[in-house]
């Protein structure tokens, strides 16, 4: 959950705030604005591996263990799913975590000159 503060109303003290700086009366008094906290579920993103003809199976298994905390059995199952179906899910994450995983996998694959592709998609 992430908290979002919505400004509920302009403080009556702001009514004298006509100098354009939106910082209050400007006479040394504090302005307290009322806020209401609303909880919003973060959007989730699938991280996917794409099949290709060249990346070694053992490399893909290693990627799944190293970056997605999969055990050997799950890593083998996911790798074979991608190999047989063209695409498969490595995990579901919030935006920034998903983006980080994609970058880590793409950098790692490039380092070893494998054409492995990793992408994210909104759920
Ligand atoms: N198709 C690859 C091979 O036969 C293996 C592979 C699996 C490649 C999954 C990428 O995401 C992938 N060596």
């Amino acid at each position: 959950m992430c908290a979002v503060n919505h400004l509920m109303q302009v403080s009556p003290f702001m009514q004298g705030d006509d100098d354009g700086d939106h910082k209050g009366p400007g006479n040394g008094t504090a302005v307290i604005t009322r806020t209401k906290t609303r909880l919003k579920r973060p959007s989730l993103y699938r991280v996917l591996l794409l099949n290709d003809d060249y990346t070694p199976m053992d490399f893909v298994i290693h990627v799944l263990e190293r970056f997605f905390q999969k055990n050997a059995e799950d890593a083998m199952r996911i790798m074979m799913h991608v190999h047989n179906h063209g695409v498969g899910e490595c995990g579901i994450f919030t935006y920034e975590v998903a983006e980080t995983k994609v970058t880590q996998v793409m950098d790692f694959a490039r380092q070893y000159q494998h054409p492995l592709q990793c992408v994210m998609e909104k759920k």
Side-chain angles (χ1 to χ4, degrees):
M1 298 291 199
C2 54
V4 178
N5 288 319
H6 289 291
L7 184 63
M8 296 305 290
Q9 63 174 77
V10 175
S11 161
F13 293 113
M14 294 289 276
Q15 286 164 4
D17 185 31
D18 55 3
D19 61 358
D21 68 359
H22 302 282
K23 284 178 178 169
N27 61 2
T29 63
V31 173
I32 299 166
T33 53
R34 202 155 68 88
T35 60
K36 186 173 175 183
T37 299
R38 282 266 172 260
L39 295 177
K40 250 177 104 199
R41 257 178 270 281
S43 297
L44 294 177
Y45 294 78
R46 283 189 197 93
V47 172
L48 307 171
L49 279 179
L50 308 185
N51 190 36
D52 65 72
D53 292 339
Y54 305 102
T55 305
M57 289 183 171
D58 284 349
F59 185 85
V60 179
I61 290 170
H62 180 71
V63 162
L64 288 160
E65 291 173 342
R66 176 168 173 154
F67 297 110
F68 299 96
Q69 285 72 48
K70 301 299 184 188
N71 61 36
E73 185 185 337
D74 285 352
M76 170 68 86
R77 182 180 51 75
I78 294 166
M79 183 280 296
M80 285 308 297
H81 178 95
V82 177
H83 178 72
N84 290 322
H85 298 92
V87 60
E89 184 178 294
C90 310
I92 299 174
F93 307 96
T94 55
Y95 184 88
E96 286 194 347
V97 175
E99 198 183 37
T100 299
K101 301 280 184 196
V102 169
T103 300
Q104 286 174 332
V105 172
M106 294 298 288
D107 288 353
F108 190 61
R110 190 169 308 130
Q111 189 182 323
Y112 287 90
Q113 301 186 353
H114 296 313
L116 180 64
Q117 295 292 303
C118 184
V119 300
M120 58 193 274
E121 67 167 33
K122 200 165 195 287
K123 265 198 86 177

